[in-house]
Amino acid sequence: MDQQHAPSPLAVQPVGKLILKFAIPAIISNLISAMYNIVDQIFIGQSVGLLGNAATNVAFPLVTLCLSISLLLGVGGASNYSLSMGRGDEEAAARYYGAAITFLAIFGIAVGVLVLVFLEPLMLAFGATELSLPYAMTYTGITAIGMPFQIFGTAGSHLIRADGSPRYAMVSITTGAVLNIILDPIFIFPLDMGIAGAAIATVIGQISTVVLQAVYFWKLKNHPIRLSHLIPRPKLLTAIGGLGSAAFFNQVAMMAVQITMNNVLRRYGELSPYGSDIPLACVGVITKVNVVMMAFLIGIAQGCQPIVGFNYGAGQYSRVRRTYLRAITAASAIAFLFFLCFQFFPQPILAIFDPEGSNMFFRFGTRYFRIYMLAAFLNAIHPLTSNFFTSIGKAKMGMLISMTRQILFLLPLILLFPMFWGVDGVMYAGPIADFVAAVVALVLVARELRRIRSLQDLPLSPEAAG
């Protein structure tokens, strides 16, 4: 058979092997991104101190904004590409791919320009004080130049994975992250550039990622991209945005919950023996640790996207079901391991971030870890299920699932419970929201899996049954 018409590995290789092939690079990329953000914060704190940390925190909503746009176009473009390739419509797949690239460039440049134009009002709106404002403007003014590259690089990794090159996607992200980690201490300490040095190192890392991805986009593995494919048609943006909306709104919801939670902790913390600073510090630590766990879970979800999308488009429904079931099993096992760590080793984890913390710090942090993360073993269900629905073209269902925990359950509970139990109410809100949202997701995905099971599979090769 001519190589051009050979069956895609996504259609014939064993599902378990494919999940490992696509998920492991995605997990590594997510872990590196999570870790270099933590390292970046450590270097800034050691060089600039409190005001440096405050400045980067003020800029953090813009990081979330960039990530939400990356997921909107990256996940949406990759999902449409995989579905089209599975249906055998390579021309449509190329148009989605090319349009996603063009829209990423347009949106990225627009965000960078708007941030530079409205830099000071944005920093004040995000909470900059008189003392931290100069640092925030310096840091954000430089990183705004890199925002187009940040948006493009994050989304580009999704597009490259969809084209069947998860290792290249990992290398592109890893190169930028490692370069950032290397340059951070050089620019900050020997060159004495302070917070500006950290920002410059970040931008250089982001540019290096996009350069590597641009080399890949020049010649895709499955289908060449012509200039005509890069035309940003509104119809294509609607389709891309439709399948990327779940991931987009999930990030926006997370940002809204974090802002609300910080204000609740500040208000009710003042009325508690802990004060406001200890709850805010502990929640910050636990958020960073939770990002590490989610890097594994989201990595598995991202790795399954091209497998599910291609096989659903190709009508190989048994492989779609098998991919979800194997992925949810593996991700739940990982979530359970983190759950055990949260329950049995909370104080050593806290000590990594603040070894000189007070007794009250460790007391509150230990209780928060054990109560707020009580249902952490269920946290694999949401990213896997939301991504599953998006991958099969059911964006509205994916969006509903991604929003249930953050907006429908957690946000109201963190506003309501502290009225009765003070700052402890925030702790109780977490596991209740996790449990109810997991039940909703499982009910919806069980119904969808039954529907898929009833569909007639296309004839499979012997290898596809693996």
Side-chain angles (χ1 to χ4, degrees), residues 15-16 57 112 172 179 198 278-279 290 299 302 328 341 407 416 422 426 429 435:
V15 164
N57 287 333
S172 69
L179 189 59
I278 287 177
N290 189 57
Q302 292 172 341
I328 198 69
C341 292
I407 298 299
L416 179 63
V426 176
F435 178 78

Side-chain angles (χ1 to χ4, degrees), residues 40-94:
D40 199 36
Q41 193 70 40
I42 292 173
F43 284 134
I44 292 175
Q46 291 176 350
S47 63
V48 182
L50 179 64
L51 293 178
N53 285 327
T56 54
N57 287 333
V58 166
F60 190 73
L62 293 175
V63 176
T64 305
L65 173 65
C66 290
L67 179 58
S68 66
I69 294 173
S70 296
L71 295 177
L72 176 71
L73 299 175
V75 172
S79 298
N80 277 287
Y81 175 81
S82 297
L83 288 167
S84 297
M85 289 295 291
R87 289 190 291 263
D89 192 347
E90 294 187 1
E91 183 62 24

Side-chain angles (χ1 to χ4, degrees), residues 312 317 320-321 388 448-455:
Y312 191 84
Y317 301 115
V320 173
R321 293 182 69 255
F388 173 77
E448 183 63 27
L449 291 175
R450 285 195 299 269
R451 185 191 71 83
I452 291 176
R453 188 174 187 175
S454 67
L455 299 176

Side-chain angles (χ1 to χ4, degrees), residues 65-66 69-70 73 100-116 143-153:
L65 173 65
C66 290
I69 294 173
S70 296
L73 299 175
I101 292 173
T102 302
F103 282 121
L104 282 168
I106 294 173
F107 277 62
I109 293 171
V111 170
V113 170
L114 288 173
V115 170
L116 288 172
T143 55
I145 299 173
M147 285 177 186
F149 300 96
Q150 179 186 354
I151 291 172
F152 197 104

Side-chain angles (χ1 to χ4, degrees), residues 151-434:
I151 291 172
F152 197 104
T154 303
S157 64
H158 290 274
L159 295 172
I160 292 173
R161 276 194 296 271
D163 191 48
S165 301
R167 290 184 181 179
Y168 196 98
M170 177 191 70
V171 169
S172 69
I173 293 293
T174 302
T175 300
V178 171
L179 189 59
N180 185 19
I181 293 173
I182 294 173
L183 294 179
D184 255 342
I186 296 175
F187 287 171
I188 293 174
F189 298 113
L191 298 182
D192 196 25
M193 299 175 69
I195 197 169
I200 293 172
T202 297
V203 173
I204 291 175
Q206 292 164 345
I207 292 175
S208 68
T209 292
V210 173
V211 169
L212 288 175
Q213 293 180 352
V215 172
Y216 183 90
F217 292 144
W218 187 258
K219 189 176 182 181
L220 296 183
K221 176 185 293 186
N222 291 318
H223 196 285
I225 298 296
R226 300 189 298 270
L227 288 178
S228 60
H229 296 144
L230 299 174
I231 298 175
R233 297 180 177 89
K235 182 179 179 179
L236 295 177
L237 177 61
T238 301
I240 291 171
L243 294 186
S245 57
F248 171 79
F249 284 110
N250 186 51
Q251 288 298 316
V252 173
M254 289 175 63
M255 181 173 61
V257 167
Q258 189 61 54
I259 293 172
T260 303
M261 183 179 291
N262 286 344
N263 284 298
V264 169
L265 290 170
R266 183 184 301 113
R267 175 183 176 185
Y268 289 96
E270 292 178 350
L271 306 176
S272 73
Y274 305 105
S276 295
D277 292 332
I278 287 177
L280 287 171
C282 289
V283 171
V285 168
I286 293 169
T287 299
K288 290 181 174 65
V289 174
N290 189 57
V291 166
V292 176
M293 178 181 72
M294 295 308 296
F296 285 91
L297 308 184
I298 293 174
I300 294 174
Q302 292 172 341
C304 291
Q305 181 273 319
I307 307 170
V308 171
F310 183 94
N311 283 285
Y312 191 84
Q316 300 201 42
Y317 301 115
S318 64
R319 290 175 63 82
V320 173
R321 293 182 69 255
R322 193 179 307 123
T323 300
Y324 176 83
L325 293 175
R326 291 193 179 183
I328 198 69
T329 300
S332 295
I334 293 173
F336 185 74
L337 291 176
F338 275 94
F339 162 77
L340 293 178
C341 292
F342 298 155
Q343 296 302 311
F344 292 103
F345 309 109
Q347 186 159 330
I349 295 174
L350 289 164
I352 295 173
F353 293 84
D354 190 355
E356 304 299 327
S358 65
N359 290 333
M360 295 294 281
F361 171 83
F362 286 111
R363 178 182 172 187
F364 181 86
T366 298
R367 292 185 67 242
Y368 195 97
F369 250 126
R370 287 175 172 162
I371 297 175
Y372 189 81
M373 305 301 291
L374 187 61
F377 59 90
L378 298 173
N379 285 355
I381 296 173
H382 261 79
L384 262 295
T385 306
S386 175
N387 187 273
F388 173 77
F389 276 105
T390 299
S391 299
I392 64 174
K394 296 191 174 184
K396 291 182 179 179
M397 192 65 71
M399 186 189 309
L400 172 64
I401 293 172
S402 69
M403 299 287 282
T404 50
R405 180 187 184 272
Q406 304 291 344
I407 298 299
L408 297 183
F409 302 126
L410 185 57
L411 187 59
L413 291 179
I414 63 176
L415 290 171
L416 179 63
F417 281 7
M419 296 180 183
F420 302 98
W421 298 295
V423 71
D424 287 355
V426 176
M427 301 183 194
Y428 305 135
I432 293 175
D434 285 339

Side-chain angles (χ1 to χ4, degrees), residues 2-14:
D2 187 89
Q3 186 177 3
Q4 184 177 359
H5 298 93
S8 169
L10 294 171
V12 297
Q13 285 189 2

